[in-house]
Amino acid sequence: MEKIFTQFLDLPKTINSKLPMNSFNAMVEDSEQNVAKWVGTFYTVSALVILITSLLYVLSPIWSGGIGEGIGIVGNVLAILIWAYAAFPIAQVVRSTGDSLAESKSGIVDFVFRDLAVANIKLLGHVAALVALFGALCMTITWATSLNVSGGFMTDWIANIDYAYALPMAAVTELTDLLNLQFIGGIFADWSGWDPTMSAGDHWSVSGLYSVLWEYIGVLAILAKLYVSLAIYYFFYEIISSLVKWIKSPYLPFRTN
């Protein structure tokens, strides 16, 4: 009787093991180990989506009637070629981020609050630097040729990935405010706020040259602030991580002879 009762209780397990192509249990049970691969796949797919949508956005003036007239056509065509070229290295930044995340061996906590956060900060910083660089190139051509090589209508889609920076850094900014370190929080607030569509000034003018040079300096400023932000984030992450470990196993840092 007891054997029959045990077999009855094991009936779901027995049937489940006999189901054809049933790998769902293993998939769910191994989900934590596969989070990094799933996230990496998401970024890989996102890179392709970003490439296709940005190319469609950049090339849209051709079929929407926004190519301009006269000499303006030359400037718009140059802008289209520059930003179509830029779409590929920008998409590759996203793809590389996914590849690095897919190789992570960290636990779920370290993966979310360290690997993923740091990868997103680097992602937006590198994308912002590339956008500023190609914007500076457009400004240089405008200053050197007097053509209106606009970068503005090509970069609006960049705002769609701002969450990648805002999400991991919001908590750090709040922490700096709590510790009365608002000056550090200010670094996080505006480090990537560089406008790649500034006016180049008059053709071959000294003031225009200053504007062009300032735009290239902006690329370096974005990268510098990126690495400062990363250093500060790592610093606070280590503090919080050490504090959590101490709470789990408190001790007094005294030496005994």
Side-chain angles (χ1 to χ4, degrees), residues 6-87:
T6 301
Q7 291 178 342
F8 177 75
L9 292 178
D10 289 341
L11 187 60
K13 177 182 177 180
T14 303
I15 296 176
N16 184 69
S17 64
K18 301 297 182 181
L19 292 176
M21 298 181 295
N22 183 13
S23 59
F24 298 104
N25 295 102
M27 181 179 65
V28 173
E29 291 168 359
D30 296 338
S31 59
E32 182 175 351
Q33 288 75 22
N34 293 326
V35 167
K37 295 181 180 179
W38 293 345
V39 173
T41 301
F42 172 79
Y43 278 78
T44 300
V45 174
S46 296
L48 179 60
V49 173
I50 287 174
L51 177 62
I52 295 174
T53 55
S54 58
L55 285 176
L56 290 175
Y57 187 80
V58 168
L59 299 175
S60 62
I62 297 177
W63 56 77
S64 65
I67 201 68
E69 297 179 355
I71 194 66
I73 296 178
V74 179
N76 285 330
V77 169
L78 283 174
I80 288 173
L81 292 176
I82 290 172
W83 289 106
Y85 179 94

Side-chain angles (χ1 to χ4, degrees), residues 14 21 30 38 44 58 77 102 104-105 109 124-125 141 156 159 161 167 179 202-203 208 217 225-226 229 238:
T14 303
M21 298 181 295
D30 296 338
W38 293 345
T44 300
V58 168
V77 169
S104 174
K105 304 299 182 182
V109 174
L124 187 61
I141 297 175
D156 295 339
I161 63 172
L167 182 61
L179 298 176
D202 296 331
H203 170 58
I217 292 174
K225 290 184 177 182
L226 163 64
S229 297
E238 291 299 329

Side-chain angles (χ1 to χ4, degrees), residues 41-158:
T41 301
F42 172 79
Y43 278 78
T44 300
V45 174
S46 296
L48 179 60
V49 173
I50 287 174
L51 177 62
I52 295 174
T53 55
S54 58
L55 285 176
L56 290 175
Y57 187 80
V58 168
L59 299 175
S60 62
I62 297 177
W63 56 77
S64 65
I67 201 68
E69 297 179 355
I71 194 66
I73 296 178
V74 179
N76 285 330
V77 169
L78 283 174
I80 288 173
L81 292 176
I82 290 172
W83 289 106
Y85 179 94
F88 290 91
I90 289 174
Q92 182 57 37
V93 170
V94 181
R95 173 61 186 266
S96 298
T97 301
D99 291 342
S100 64
L101 287 173
E103 296 174 356
S104 174
K105 304 299 182 182
S106 301
I108 188 65
V109 174
D110 285 337
F111 177 77
V112 172
F113 292 101
R114 184 187 62 193
D115 299 350
L116 183 59
V118 169
N120 282 339
I121 296 171
K122 288 181 179 179
L123 169 63
L124 187 61
H126 292 160
V127 169
L130 284 174
V131 171
L133 178 61
F134 284 99
L137 178 60
C138 289
M139 180 185 289
T140 302
I141 297 175
T142 299
W143 175 78
T145 64
S146 73
L147 293 172
N148 183 20
V149 184
S150 172
F153 71 95
M154 303 296 181
T155 59
D156 295 339
W157 64 271
I158 297 298

